[in-house]
Amino acid sequence: MNYSKKIRLLGIVWLLICFLSTGHISGREKEPADTFGIVIHGGAGVIAKKTMNAKNERLYREKLTEALTAGYRILENNGSSVDAVEAAIKVMEDSPLFNSGKGAVFTGEGANELDASIMDGKTLNAGAVAGVRRIKNPVSLARLVMEKSPHVLLVGEGAEAFARQEGMDWVSPDYFFTKRRWKALQKIKAKEKKEKKKTSPGKNALNSIRNEETGKFGTVGAVALDKNGNLAAGTSTGGMMNKKFGRVGDSPVIGAGTYANNKTCAVSATGHGEYFIRSVASYDISALMEYKGLNLREASELVVEKLKKLGGIGGFIAIDGRGNISMPFSSAGMFRGYALKGKKPTVKMYKE
Amino acid sequence: MNYSKKIRLLGIVWLLICFLSTGHISGREKEPADTFGIVIHGGAGVIAKKTMNAKNERLYREKLTEALTAGYRILENNGSSVDAVEAAIKVMEDSPLFNSGKGAVFTGEGANELDASIMDGKTLNAGAVAGVRRIKNPVSLARLVMEKSPHVLLVGEGAEAFARQEGMDWVSPDYFFTKRRWKALQKIKAKEKKEKKKTSPGKNALNSIRNEETGKFGTVGAVALDKNGNLAAGTSTGGMMNKKFGRVGDSPVIGAGTYANNKTCAVSATGHGEYFIRSVASYDISALMEYKGLNLREASELVVEKLKKLGGIGGFIAIDGRGNISMPFSSAGMFRGYALKGKKPTVKMYKE
């Protein structure tokens, strides 16, 4: 190899390295999706083998598998990622096992206030609802907001009025009553009362919420890639147990709890919502991929670390346009699972 | 120059280019802030010279200058950027000229529902409220949420209950009545009634909101850099005129309407909120700076372009840690101004 050839080769190597270092990913975008799949979560928190008995473990495994299968079947039959995400979340919303829909925790006032969101990675359309009390499947209402209104976020009774106008049935608020969640609220209330005697009255209500944050969260979510290469993400929750003052967490906040963009990835979060809002956590994963050239795993794991440094515990499920998945979390456990093209659905709970 | 020297030189050039292309900005972060300043907006929309009379122009100029001065004085006297942002926004909230606080537009039901948020770039703490009807200065309640609660976002009556618990006075909902806004609502209502006869009843309410989107928005916001190099951002709005179904826009959504991070910039947005939520617009400016190495102007102008491509009109005010400012917008005009260390406050309205 003579001198000028060596210089030319160096130039080519240099261009290649600079190309990669600027995080150019258009090559990935153009690849046709030759795969499809769905990833779900049923919440992050204190899920340790020693506190979970065999019967409960089986119940969670069965329900998570049912949700995965509902979403997977849609994708297999050429359905859209938005359809798959909605179907999987509905299965979990209809189960009392998770803190969403039927199994939602109680607010400090003894009500159930539900939040949900959904985002279409192809169009960047999104819909979200917060603080609804009469909607059986908040994720379906979020989808209705996305598709039948010019808005993204509707809250409270207004969101319920929109549901009724669009022909969605209301359920009685009693529908969300479950003995397990009611007992849990009474337990916290008793603790709160006890603590009231010790601390100043003003900050007391907030302190008790703080204590509760160490508990299990239980938000549900799903992300999917369909055969057309379109990504979607959705999240649904009953929020924080014993919550007060109309508190809304990250689940209905696009960019915080939910984000999807065909260019990068689809993400659903679960955990200590306030930190996820302040960190714009779900969009941050996408931005790290698009602007910094990180892959899905690197980006999602980095954001879990960033959240941890700020003080926030939780996790993500994420999928990119090539069917790569990631499910990082900083809590003791996270109910999660995935079903990818041609593979058996897999469900996990603990750190493995 | 011999062969090995040339190779070495090429290597140095290559390293330099790669270093720059990865957007490394730690050099900027380490620079001490030898300046300070505040930037404000009073909303983007149809602000054209031909529709603005001399008297109104003077009123807007005076009020914007008053808001700038209130914030600037705090910064000059070693106050924090959070204090400056709150003070400037309060001046605009207390004026009937802007669509926030006193001058908030009416909802479809004839009420005034206010949203606001604030973020501290030093700690990444944030607070926000949505749909409050009895709070004179929603930005101050957002700050209370940030500082006195473990939460970020409180909505509706819950947020008002929190305000009362923390000793913040309520005002009567009548306080927000202004003849100008009431007349504007009646005009839309009449138009809506007329259109009802032409179109199907179901979609009608939403169409009328769509039409209204072409009007003036009028959200207010402020961003500031203080003498300690700390950034802060805040936004306050009455939302969309004739809004229905508990619609919430981007103003109380951290990452969409408001974002601040000492690492990069402080941003407040105004415009067609739904697009700003879907684009996670304010955080996107920060991410483009942090991950892609764009400067403030490049990043903010790029996000205005991205929004436009998606269909969203509006603008931003932004300031970085070195006191660079940017005020890009895609609408006909934007009420805006800045007051930087040692310089006379400047107010603008039109494209100049």
Side-chain angles (χ1 to χ4, degrees):
Chain A
M1 200 152 51
N2 64 24
Y3 173 72
S4 70
K5 263 192 185 166
K6 276 185 186 164
I7 293 290
R8 222 183 303 155
L9 192 71
L10 244 167
I12 291 166
V13 168
W14 169 72
L15 277 172
L16 203 73
I17 292 170
C18 285
F19 181 83
L20 291 171
S21 73
T22 54
H24 197 83
I25 55 158
S26 68
R28 291 180 198 173
E29 287 164 37
K30 282 169 197 164
E31 272 175 31
D34 57 352
T35 187
F36 62 87
I38 183 163
V39 192
I40 62 170
H41 69 76
V46 185
I47 307 163
K49 262 188 178 156
K50 54 181 179 180
T51 59
M52 176 78 79
N53 64 41
K55 188 192 155 200
N56 274 338
E57 193 176 308
R58 188 176 48 77
L59 286 173
Y60 276 103
R61 280 193 189 280
E62 280 174 6
K63 194 50 76 176
L64 289 165
T65 306
E66 187 189 330
L68 278 173
T69 308
Y72 184 85
R73 275 203 195 122
I74 288 168
L75 298 172
E76 202 179 24
N77 294 315
N78 301 311
S80 76
S81 51
V82 172
D83 281 340
V85 160
E86 184 188 358
I89 290 177
K90 278 176 82 172
V91 169
M92 293 185 280
E93 281 180 342
D94 291 343
S95 159
L97 291 174
F98 307 97
N99 177 19
S100 74
K102 175 69 186 160
V105 295
F106 285 94
T107 68
E109 286 177 333
N112 306 93
E113 288 181 357
L114 314 167
D115 310 329
S117 65
I118 196 162
M119 187 162 187
D120 179 344
K122 185 186 173 190
T123 57
L124 301 184
N125 274 341
V129 293
V132 296
R133 295 178 172 205
R134 285 177 267 210
I135 306 297
K136 186 168 178 265
N137 292 110
V139 72
S140 299
L141 180 53
R143 185 174 180 176
L144 215 56
V145 172
M146 173 168 82
E147 293 179 347
K148 304 280 181 189
S149 93
H151 300 313
V152 172
L153 176 56
L154 303 182
V155 305
E157 288 173 11
E160 291 170 354
F162 173 72
R164 184 160 270 185
Q165 179 191 279
E166 293 297 321
M168 182 179 271
D169 286 337
W170 284 5
V171 292
S172 158
D174 298 346
Y175 166 78
F176 300 103
F177 181 89
T178 55
K179 231 178 190 170
R180 171 189 168 211
R181 301 294 192 193
W182 186 254
K183 272 187 184 168
L185 179 70
Q186 301 318 313
K187 210 171 145 186
I188 292 178
K189 289 267 182 199
K191 201 177 149 196
E192 198 175 270
K193 216 171 167 182
K194 217 169 152 186
E195 275 171 5
K196 211 171 229 163
K197 290 174 191 167
K198 289 184 210 162
T199 58
S200 73
K203 293 297 283 176
N204 189 63
L206 299 175
N207 286 337
S208 77
I209 295 174
R210 229 174 233 140
N211 294 336
E212 197 42 37
E213 285 160 7
T214 53
K216 197 160 67 180
F217 300 100
T219 295
V220 309
V223 296
L225 167 69
D226 64 28
K227 285 185 181 175
N228 290 316
N230 292 322
L231 294 168
T235 311
S236 180
T237 190
M240 206 174 257
M241 176 146 39
N242 196 29
K243 66 186 173 187
K244 291 177 180 74
F245 309 123
R247 179 258 183 188
V248 173
D250 63 319
S251 299
V253 178
I254 298 300
T258 301
Y259 187 73
N261 189 336
N262 276 6
K263 255 184 171 175
T264 50
C265 59
V267 182
S268 171
T270 170
H272 192 157
E274 276 72 12
Y275 291 92
F276 286 69
I277 295 178
R278 291 165 55 195
S279 303
V280 200
S282 288
Y283 180 67
D284 201 26
I285 295 174
S286 172
L288 282 163
M289 291 176 72
E290 186 177 359
Y291 303 146
K292 222 178 170 178
L294 300 197
N295 68 34
L296 185 77
R297 176 177 293 268
E298 289 164 349
S300 56
E301 288 179 353
L302 179 58
V303 177
V304 167
E305 281 311 306
K306 283 171 76 175
L307 282 159
K308 219 169 131 183
K309 268 182 200 160
L310 202 62
I313 298 299
F316 299 100
I317 50 163
I319 190 166
D320 71 14
R322 297 193 292 182
N324 297 310
I325 68 162
S326 182
M327 309 186 293
F329 58 94
S330 57
S331 42
M334 181 166 85
F335 293 115
R336 63 201 187 278
Y338 53 92
L340 303 173
K341 183 188 173 186
K343 288 180 189 161
K344 232 185 94 189
T346 304
V347 166
K348 296 181 176 189
M349 296 181 193
Y350 318 111
K351 281 200 170 150
E352 277 160 320
Chain B
M1 199 152 54
N2 65 24
Y3 172 71
S4 69
K5 261 192 184 166
K6 276 184 187 166
I7 294 288
R8 222 182 303 155
L9 192 69
L10 244 166
I12 291 166
V13 169
W14 169 72
L15 278 172
L16 203 69
I17 292 171
C18 285
F19 180 83
L20 291 171
S21 72
T22 53
H24 197 83
I25 56 159
S26 68
R28 292 181 197 173
E29 288 165 38
K30 281 169 196 161
E31 272 176 32
D34 57 352
T35 187
F36 63 88
I38 182 162
V39 193
I40 62 169
H41 70 77
V46 185
I47 307 164
K49 264 191 178 155
K50 54 182 181 184
T51 60
M52 176 77 81
N53 64 40
K55 189 192 153 198
N56 274 339
E57 194 177 309
R58 187 176 49 77
L59 286 174
Y60 277 103
R61 281 194 190 279
E62 280 175 5
K63 194 50 77 175
L64 289 165
T65 306
E66 188 188 330
L68 278 173
T69 308
Y72 184 86
R73 273 202 198 123
I74 288 167
L75 298 172
E76 202 178 23
N77 293 316
N78 301 311
S80 76
S81 50
V82 172
D83 282 339
V85 160
E86 184 188 359
I89 291 177
K90 278 176 81 171
V91 169
M92 294 184 279
E93 281 180 341
D94 291 344
S95 160
L97 291 173
F98 307 98
N99 177 19
S100 74
K102 175 69 186 160
V105 296
F106 284 94
T107 68
E109 286 178 331
N112 306 93
E113 288 181 358
L114 314 166
D115 310 330
S117 65
I118 196 163
M119 186 161 186
D120 178 345
K122 185 185 173 190
T123 57
L124 301 183
N125 274 342
V129 293
V132 296
R133 295 177 173 207
R134 285 178 267 211
I135 305 299
K136 186 168 177 265
N137 292 110
V139 70
S140 299
L141 180 53
R143 184 173 182 178
L144 215 57
V145 172
M146 173 168 84
E147 294 179 347
K148 303 281 181 187
S149 93
H151 301 314
V152 172
L153 177 55
L154 303 182
V155 304
E157 288 174 13
E160 291 170 353
F162 173 72
R164 183 160 270 186
Q165 180 191 279
E166 293 298 322
M168 181 179 272
D169 285 337
W170 285 5
V171 292
S172 158
D174 298 345
Y175 165 77
F176 300 103
F177 181 89
T178 55
K179 233 179 188 171
R180 171 188 168 211
R181 301 295 192 193
W182 185 253
K183 272 186 183 170
L185 179 70
Q186 302 316 314
K187 211 171 144 186
I188 292 177
K189 289 266 180 200
K191 200 177 150 197
E192 198 176 272
K193 218 173 167 181
K194 216 168 150 188
E195 276 172 3
K196 210 171 229 162
K197 290 174 189 165
K198 290 184 210 162
T199 58
S200 72
K203 292 299 283 178
N204 189 63
L206 298 176
N207 286 337
S208 77
I209 295 174
R210 230 174 234 140
N211 294 338
E212 197 42 37
E213 284 161 10
T214 53
K216 197 161 69 179
F217 300 101
T219 295
V220 309
V223 296
L225 167 69
D226 64 28
K227 286 186 180 172
N228 290 316
N230 293 321
L231 293 168
T235 311
S236 179
T237 190
M240 206 173 258
M241 178 147 38
N242 196 28
K243 66 186 174 187
K244 292 179 178 73
F245 308 126
R247 178 259 184 188
V248 173
D250 63 318
S251 298
V253 178
I254 298 302
T258 301
Y259 187 73
N261 189 335
N262 275 6
K263 256 185 172 175
T264 51
C265 59
V267 182
S268 170
T270 170
H272 192 155
E274 276 71 12
Y275 292 91
F276 285 69
I277 295 177
R278 290 164 56 196
S279 304
V280 200
S282 288
Y283 180 66
D284 201 25
I285 296 174
S286 171
L288 283 163
M289 291 176 71
E290 186 175 358
Y291 302 146
K292 222 178 171 179
L294 300 197
N295 68 35
L296 185 77
R297 176 177 294 268
E298 290 164 348
S300 56
E301 288 178 355
L302 179 58
V303 177
V304 167
E305 283 310 307
K306 283 172 76 175
L307 282 159
K308 220 170 131 183
K309 270 185 200 158
L310 203 63
I313 298 297
F316 299 100
I317 50 163
I319 190 165
D320 71 12
R322 296 193 294 180
N324 297 309
I325 69 162
S326 182
M327 309 186 293
F329 57 95
S330 57
S331 42
M334 181 166 84
F335 294 115
R336 63 202 187 279
Y338 53 92
L340 303 173
K341 183 188 173 187
K343 287 181 191 161
K344 233 186 93 190
T346 304
V347 166
K348 297 182 176 188
M349 297 182 190
Y350 318 112
K351 279 200 171 149
E352 281 159 315

